Amino acid sequence: MSQARPFDPHIPVLTELFSDKGEALAEPAAESVPADQASAPAGADPEWAALERRLSDRIVQQLQGSVDIMLEHRLRESMEQVLRQAVGDITAELRRGLQDSLDAIVARAVAQELGALQQRQPPP
């Protein structure tokens, strides 16, 4: 159940390495890749460039999922901290505003009550 691999023209076949008489040939056939091209950058051969592009795309897709999860986790942590601070600040501001309002309402109610009491009593 092995998968058949496509023929690679850069790999010499047995008939290119040995002559019909069983003698080893001095040099591989002209189709084989010279040593200086074997280490050439991937952009030199269209097949290598396509392989590099497919491999890069696959790696990017695999990493994208991990990056998305990590980014979401860090964003959630940052937002949680920012929201906690904002809620704390808003709560403190509301308490101060409520306290100021209550103080003003109580002061006005006391002043009105004292004013009403003074109007009921005759001056001494």
Side-chain angles (χ1 to χ4, degrees):
M1 306 222 172
S2 64
Q3 295 178 342
R5 295 184 183 184
F7 177 73
D8 187 352
H10 301 296
I11 299 175
V13 292
L14 190 58
T15 57
E16 294 173 340
L17 297 176
F18 293 95
S19 70
D20 289 338
K21 297 176 186 173
E23 301 169 345
L25 296 175
E27 296 180 46
E31 285 185 4
S32 63
V33 178
D36 61 338
Q37 278 189 348
S39 62
D45 184 6
E47 291 179 19
W48 280 107
L51 177 64
E52 180 183 16
R53 189 171 41 256
R54 286 193 313 267
L55 185 60
S56 294
D57 290 345
R58 186 179 304 150
I59 290 171
V60 167
Q61 287 175 355
Q62 290 173 350
L63 289 176
Q64 189 65 41
S66 299
V67 168
D68 288 345
I69 291 170
M70 185 172 35
L71 181 62
E72 182 180 337
H73 178 70
R74 288 191 179 190
L75 184 62
R76 184 177 291 139
E77 285 179 346
S78 297
M79 291 301 295
E80 184 178 320
Q81 183 179 6
V82 168
L83 289 174
R84 190 178 302 123
Q85 180 67 37
V87 167
D89 292 348
I90 290 171
T91 302
E93 181 76 25
L94 288 173
R95 282 186 180 144
R96 282 192 297 272
L98 184 59
Q99 185 65 44
D100 291 346
S101 296
L102 285 174
D103 289 346
I105 290 170
V106 169
R108 188 175 34 199
V110 168
Q112 286 176 352
E113 209 43 52
L114 287 176
L117 285 175
Q118 286 177 353
Q119 286 179 358
R120 285 190 218 154
Q121 288 183 351

